[in-house]
Amino acid sequence: MDNFEPKILALCCHYCAYAAADLAGSMRLQYPANVRVLRLPCTGKVDPSYIMTAFEMGIDGVLVAGCLEGGCHFQEGNLRAKKRVGLVRDMLEEAGIEKDRLEMFNLSSAEGPRFAEIVGIMTERIKKLGPSPLRRKLEVSV
Ligand code: FES
């Protein structure tokens, strides 16, 4: 498992995390290249089915990144996302998938270095956990 490179999906709010990811790129900050960023208008748009579908498709970890609490452009979208992420973490555990494969973070658009740090944190965490059980099942069945 030494050469395991996790596949990570980042569901990023347009106003903060996506802008921070863009800033990290502009600043030429190094962060693991195994993250795929999907821009959403707000993390309030995150539906549990998006996350579960990502895992079903073989993603090893999902991070949801929204505006700072109190800073959501749609008022409470990030607070709703926080609740949903908590529910999905419980669902994952019920399904035998480590809940730490899913995490929510909050950051501002000015935090390019923080975005790079978050990607690094999730990558290291998922490397320790190893491939998702669902990914392993997909690989066996192909
Ligand atoms: Fe960023 Fe809602 S607008 S989390």
Side-chain angles (χ1 to χ4, degrees):
M1 200 166 349
D2 286 344
N3 58 0
F4 167 56
E5 283 301 328
K7 294 179 187 173
I8 296 175
L9 175 65
L11 298 172
C12 293
C13 158
H14 165 77
Y15 292 98
C16 52
Y18 189 82
D22 203 24
L23 179 61
S26 300
M27 294 171 76
R28 304 202 185 290
L29 298 174
Q30 297 288 321
Y31 61 83
N34 48 347
V35 65
R36 297 293 175 263
V37 176
L38 184 63
R39 178 172 53 173
L40 299 172
C42 170
T43 54
K45 180 76 178 127
V46 170
D47 187 284
S49 68
Y50 299 172
I51 299 169
M52 298 309 278
T53 300
F55 282 112
E56 284 170 12
M57 294 178 74
I59 288 288
D60 299 299
V62 176
L63 72 89
V64 177
C67 298
L68 296 169
E69 292 192 9
C72 174
H73 291 237
F74 297 93
Q75 298 190 348
E76 295 184 351
N78 54 359
L79 301 179
R80 291 182 182 163
K82 184 179 178 181
K83 282 186 191 161
R84 288 185 201 135
V85 166
L87 287 172
V88 177
R89 280 170 57 91
D90 292 343
M91 287 166 60
L92 289 172
E93 196 153 70
E94 291 270 328
I97 300 168
E98 303 90 344
K99 65 181 180 182
D100 283 345
R101 292 183 183 277
L102 171 64
E103 191 74 64
M104 179 156 183
F105 298 90
N106 299 87
L107 71 170
S108 79
S109 58
E111 293 183 289
R114 174 75 179 137
F115 181 82
E117 181 188 35
I118 286 168
V119 172
I121 289 168
M122 281 301 283
T123 300
E124 283 312 305
R125 182 191 294 181
I126 304 300
K127 275 187 175 179
K128 283 184 188 145
L129 291 172
S132 157
L134 292 179
R135 178 176 171 179
R136 289 193 298 257
K137 276 189 186 163
L138 282 173
E139 287 172 354
V140 168
S141 64
V142 174

